[in-house]
Amino acid sequence: MGFFDKAKKMLGLGSEPEPDDVPSPAHEKRAANVHDDDPRVLAAERAGKLDPRRKDKRPPLVDAPPAGPGVDDALAVREAGDKAGARKMLQDMDKGGGLRTVLRAAAAYEAGDKSELSQLLPVIAKEEPRYKLLLQVASALDNAERAKGYVHRAEAEKAPAWALGWAKAMSGNPEVKRHGLVELVFADHALARTVAARDLELPGVEADPEAGARYAAFVHGRNSIKRFGAECVAGMLDEAQKVGGA
């Protein structure tokens, strides 16, 4: 039995996955709770805001204001060859922490801007949980040996078993990847199914909707670091360690 077959067996494949687009009873109850005599509906009718053809008599959705540029926009500019423009975007959108600050610091490190970097490194060093960025960098690096060092640092920072298993499952080393998936199955079965489906692309494996938010929280950072340049982010992270980081 090959690794993929063993992994599928560990993940409990064979049962029919539950559809993730079926409305819950609570949702149906809320949806049915709007009536013609609802004060909100009557007020909207008097204001002429309802379309008489709408059977549910609910006011139409208001268009949300356009959002500003985000990390993905800055990375797209960088990938188009404009590193200076991408760096300026990251500076403008930085709110003093999180992924935007990490990438802004990496851009300053890349540009050799010691003045800006010295202001950002203490912020990076205090990022919590500390293990998260370490494992995101480890899983983004192509060099499996170098990635191992960041996993060890995350272990020293008391990273939970599911996070360590996820990072190891992303390793370029087949043996480490195998052990990581096994660890993940025992630590967090729902997340293991999602990683197997989306990252490892195991045939017949379905992502688990319950693990979607936890998966997205790690993967967006990992993917953004990879797009920026994991080696550069890793170098910046090593500098942060010198000022008290993980």
Side-chain angles (χ1 to χ4, degrees):
M1 184 183 292
F3 168 58
F4 283 0
D5 293 327
K6 290 180 180 177
K8 288 167 69 177
K9 184 176 181 180
M10 285 189 297
L11 291 168
L13 294 181
S15 59
E16 287 295 322
E18 295 182 3
D20 56 5
D21 57 349
V22 177
S24 66
H27 174 80
E28 291 176 346
K29 184 177 181 181
R30 287 194 301 271
N33 220 9
V34 179
H35 304 287
D36 290 354
D37 58 353
D38 189 302
R40 295 168 296 174
V41 173
L42 295 174
E45 285 178 333
R46 285 195 294 270
K49 294 180 180 179
L50 290 183
D51 183 342
R53 294 169 296 179
R54 287 177 60 92
K55 294 182 180 180
D56 57 9
K57 296 291 186 73
R58 281 174 289 183
L61 294 174
V62 178
D63 290 337
V71 166
D72 289 338
D73 299 301
L75 291 173
V77 170
R78 178 180 173 86
E79 289 165 344
D82 187 1
K83 289 186 177 181
R87 184 184 174 196
K88 178 64 167 57
M89 290 177 68
L90 290 168
Q91 290 169 333
D92 291 343
M93 70 177 69
D94 180 20
K95 298 186 183 300
L99 180 61
R100 298 177 180 189
T101 304
V102 168
L103 297 183
R104 177 187 173 188
Y109 173 81
E110 181 181 54
D113 189 336
K114 294 183 179 180
S115 176
E116 182 176 4
L117 190 60
S118 66
Q119 299 174 33
L120 298 174
L121 288 180
V123 179
I124 303 297
K126 295 177 183 177
E127 280 287 324
E128 293 291 347
R130 291 189 177 186
Y131 68 80
K132 182 177 179 180
L133 180 56
L134 290 165
L135 294 180
Q136 286 172 328
V137 168
S139 62
L141 285 166
D142 292 327
N143 186 323
E145 281 303 308
R146 188 173 186 193
K148 190 185 301 183
Y150 295 96
V151 173
H152 289 330
R153 283 163 60 181
E155 288 174 332
E157 290 295 328
K158 309 300 182 187
W162 66 264
L164 291 168
W166 175 82
K168 292 175 184 177
M170 299 300 99
S171 173
N173 182 312
E175 188 68 16
V176 174
K177 179 182 298 227
R178 215 169 10 248
H179 285 295
L181 186 56
V182 172
E183 290 178 20
L184 194 53
V185 166
F186 286 102
D188 192 325
H189 190 269
L191 187 59
R193 288 179 64 92
T194 303
V195 167
R198 297 185 180 176
D199 289 300
L200 306 183
E201 299 181 346
L202 295 185
V205 182
E206 295 287 340
D208 192 306
E210 182 273 330
R214 287 176 293 123
Y215 175 86
F218 258 76
V219 170
H220 181 254
R222 185 275 309 272
N223 290 348
S224 297
I225 289 168
K226 198 171 186 68
R227 288 176 66 187
F228 184 95
E231 289 287 346
C232 183
V233 178
M236 180 278 297
L237 194 54
D238 291 343
E239 291 298 313
Q241 186 182 29
K242 296 175 184 177
V243 297

